[in-house]
Amino acid sequence: MSFDVGRVRALYPALGDGYAYLDGAAGTQVPATVVEAIAGAYRGGIGNVGGAFPASGRSDAIVAECRRAVADLVGGRPEGVVLGPNMTTLTYRLAAALAAGWAPGDEVVVSRLDHDANVRPWLQAAARVGAVVRWAEVDLGTGELPAGQYQGLVSERTRLVAVSAASNVLGTRPDVAAISATAHAVGALTYVDGVHAAAHGPVDAAALGADFYATSAYKWSGPHIGAVVADPALLETLRPDKLASSSDTVPERFEQGTSPFADFAGVVAAVDHLASLDPAASGTRRQRVLASMAAAEAYELELFGVLLGGLEAMGHVTTYGKAARRTATAYFTVAGHDPRQVAEHLAARGVNVWNGHNYAWELTGALAIRDAGGAVRAGLVHYNDAGEVDRLLAGVAELG
């Protein structure tokens, strides 16, 4: 299909303010349907779950539908969808539960490519129990995370391998399926950070071999809600810290406190929105999500070719990352200007980008740019258009 970006943009009220929102890698804008779903939940009346009255029943239904929606997005089972405030909080929660079964000398493998939310929780959990941490390294010239190195990193003592499905700064998409296969061969689990990846193409957590797949709705046109998807049978083996009075069933035992039920309604609307990106898509919501996200990915990568080509043609610009498989995410520096100055220059011209390490703490350290302010990040999503890319390139060209 020919991706109708004009139709898609019209669904987003915030895009009418005249700015080019090229900051999607840090969080997307939301379509009107998401705004209305959240407002509608409040207008209709909601209560805490488990009550005998209709407003409570509406919250029960919203939670159940939210689990189904997230499962349809990533290819999991609703009863294995753990919901929470964000990926970082949920990862800390699951790291603590998993580490309770580790012993001194057990091993955990993390990568320099990852967002710190898929590094620090595992390092800290390992330190508490005396587990050994092993590091998968990035090819700094290409930005690739070679899957072959995991053969030498995992052993019979490996308990968990944490890896990203896509780098939030370089866009690199590692061969997660191969990494998972290596981990599973020694009986280790894989925890896959899909926060950046899920916004940029179809996801099949089972095909990736992900025992845990983490995602955040605010990266794919939803509210600030996180989720981790796993096999319910695996979740049954974990005993997180919880209140004595709270539910001990799966997945509720991992969800602490009262949930933001109206935001959960927004998550459902966001998944329905993604499923509608290709109007010709048909079948179940899962099937429509896969078709629509494939169309969105093709559109983004075509537009990204223009963005990246334009940046690389400028002699005063250095770009980072040349992976064969990547999302539409550019990370670059401009000679003579620190990244914050570049971001401010572009903001004055109506272009939103991010600057800094963007929580890619280990990676920016390895690239030797973290202490100098990191770099500038411009991330495309399905509502960005060619005019916005042209504005970015024109603004960067002025700095030459």
Side-chain angles (χ1 to χ4, degrees):
M1 64 165 273
S2 176
F3 193 83
D4 188 353
V5 70
R7 180 189 72 86
V8 172
R9 287 177 64 81
L11 303 175
Y12 286 80
L15 301 185
D17 69 359
Y19 280 80
Y21 284 87
L22 301 182
D23 61 333
T28 49
Q29 301 307 303
V30 300
T33 51
V34 171
V35 177
E36 289 305 313
I38 295 171
Y42 284 123
R43 279 196 299 264
I46 50 177
N48 212 331
V49 293
F53 50 93
S56 176
R58 286 192 286 272
S59 293
D60 287 326
I62 288 171
V63 173
E65 185 55 29
C66 185
R67 296 194 205 281
R68 285 192 290 269
V70 173
D72 282 345
L73 178 67
V74 307
R77 294 168 57 188
E79 57 269 34
V81 175
V82 179
L83 300 170
N86 51 66
M87 177 268 187
T88 303
T89 297
L90 289 176
T91 301
Y92 267 113
R93 203 170 289 169
L94 284 159
L98 285 160
W102 299 345
D106 284 346
E107 298 171 357
V108 179
V109 181
V110 295
S111 99
R112 302 275 182 207
L113 184 71
D114 278 55
H115 187 290
D116 209 41
N118 203 31
V119 175
R120 215 58 46 186
W122 307 113
L123 267 59
Q124 292 163 349
R128 284 193 293 272
V129 301
V132 176
V133 175
R134 300 194 183 281
W135 287 90
E137 302 292 348
V138 178
D139 182 322
L140 299 180
T142 64
E144 297 277 11
L145 183 70
Q149 68 182 301
Y150 283 83
Q151 295 286 347
L153 290 172
V154 304
S155 74
E156 295 300 324
R157 295 300 301 271
T158 304
R159 297 294 171 257
L160 183 125
V161 175
V163 66
S164 178
S167 164
N168 71 311
V169 292
L170 302 185
T172 302
R173 287 181 173 273
D175 189 347
V176 174
I179 294 168
S180 294
T182 301
H184 292 159
V186 297
L189 298 171
T190 57
Y191 193 98
V192 178
D193 175 4
V195 171
H196 187 67
H200 299 287
V203 175
D204 187 337
L208 293 175
D211 294 296
F212 301 89
Y213 189 92
T215 186
S216 291
Y218 78 102
K219 295 296 183 77
W220 33 264
S221 299
H224 280 76
I225 294 295
V228 174
V229 184
D231 186 334
L234 174 57
L235 294 176
E236 289 283 4
T237 68
L238 302 178
R239 312 300 307 185
D241 288 341
K242 57 176 286 297
L243 300 180
S245 53
S246 65
S247 173
D248 194 40
T249 60
V250 166
E252 289 87 355
R253 72 169 63 147
F254 299 92
E255 298 170 353
Q256 298 173 349
T258 301
S259 297
F261 305 115
D263 282 351
F264 288 175
V267 171
V268 176
V271 174
D272 287 339
H273 165 73
L274 296 179
S276 74
L277 291 177
D278 179 357
S282 61
T284 65
R285 180 168 57 191
R286 172 66 177 160
Q287 291 169 327
R288 289 181 285 114
V289 164
L290 291 173
S292 289
M293 292 306 291
E297 181 179 34
Y299 168 76
E300 287 178 22
L301 291 177
E302 181 178 1
L303 189 59
F304 183 61
V306 177
L307 171 59
L308 189 61
L311 291 172
E312 292 181 338
M314 299 183 199
H316 60 294
V317 173
T318 299
T319 61
Y320 297 89
K322 302 180 185 298
R325 295 183 64 250
R326 63 191 297 188
T327 65
T329 310
Y331 201 48
F332 63 95
T333 53
V334 179
H337 303 274
D338 71 47
R340 182 68 180 193
Q341 291 174 329
V342 177
E344 290 172 349
H345 173 83
L346 292 171
R349 285 149 182 78
V351 179
N352 299 341
V353 297
W354 270 99
N355 63 281
H357 56 70
N358 297 290
Y359 294 90
W361 187 255
E362 298 292 337
L363 179 59
T364 52
L367 290 168
I369 60 175
R370 185 179 66 208
D371 294 341
V376 180
R377 181 179 64 183
L380 303 181
V381 293
H382 57 263
Y383 54 64
N384 294 123
D385 65 14
E388 293 176 323
V389 169
D390 290 343
R391 288 165 63 186
L392 170 74
L393 294 175
V396 175
E398 290 174 351
L399 297 174

